[in-house]
Amino acid sequence: MAKYGLHRTPAANVAETLRLGETLINAALAEPEIVTTVDSITGMTIWNTQEDEITGLFLLVPVTEAGRAAVEDGTFTPGDPAIRHIAPANTPIFGVYCGIYAGATRTARKSVLMAAGDLRLNAFAPVPTYARGATEDGARSMLTLGYRPLQGGLPDLFVSDPMGE
């Protein structure tokens, strides 16, 4: 992630990072305390880019087998996921739910999009990756990255299926 200008968000900056995301998609994200808790479990949930200020963010939740089923059947709660749905650091993951990847500047958008592609191809290829089309640009970028609409789960849900070797 660092090669794309993304860095783990320290707890002190989680609220500010989430506010940026909410502004960019014009919708509520999770409460900072929840994101901080999920991040402490996964060791990889919230990232941001900084130029002179926070300009981009990437929020993801690796999920357990039960979490994957919940995403696909619509019972996963992105803003407050059940503990049984969250894959702790250094344990097998069965999917990844991407809460948001967005940027306020061209540089930040490029950073998060490049990181999303790299993670998909190099870190999460064996498992499905899920994201919702919160904005028209977001849905378009997911289609560009090879995601497809998935019916039956959360509203506006897209999936990038596992990739073979």
Side-chain angles (χ1 to χ4, degrees):
M1 298 285 265
K3 68 182 171 182
Y4 300 112
L6 285 143
H7 307 282
R8 290 281 309 280
T9 302
N13 295 103
V14 169
E16 180 183 0
T17 301
L18 292 171
R19 275 193 303 275
L20 171 66
E22 291 174 341
T23 299
L24 293 173
I25 65 169
N26 196 30
L29 293 170
E31 294 296 320
E33 299 80 13
I34 293 170
V35 172
T36 300
T37 298
V38 173
D39 187 65
S40 71
I41 294 168
T42 68
M44 67 164 112
T45 291
I46 187 162
W47 303 78
N48 67 28
T49 62
Q50 287 190 303
E51 291 164 38
D52 290 333
E53 57 190 42
I54 296 172
T55 56
L57 72 154
F58 203 119
L59 185 66
L60 57 111
V61 180
V63 295
T64 61
E65 190 168 16
R68 176 180 171 172
V71 172
E72 291 186 357
D73 72 16
T75 60
F76 183 76
T77 308
D80 191 8
I83 295 296
R84 71 182 180 283
H85 294 162
I86 303 166
N90 303 313
T91 66
I93 66 170
F94 292 83
V96 178
Y97 179 82
C98 181
I100 183 174
Y101 59 97
T105 65
R106 184 179 187 288
T107 300
R109 285 188 297 275
K110 181 179 177 185
S111 292
V112 296
L113 190 57
M114 295 293 291
D118 190 328
L119 285 174
R120 185 67 200 116
L121 293 173
N122 298 309
F124 303 130
V127 299
T129 300
Y130 306 92
R132 291 173 63 193
T135 66
E136 193 174 306
D137 284 343
R140 190 172 33 254
S141 75
M142 284 185 280
L143 292 170
T144 300
L145 290 170
Y147 285 71
R148 64 175 173 82
L150 180 67
Q151 300 301 314
L154 299 167
D156 304 318
L157 186 65
F158 287 77
V159 62
S160 177
D161 295 308
M163 298 177 182
E165 295 182 10

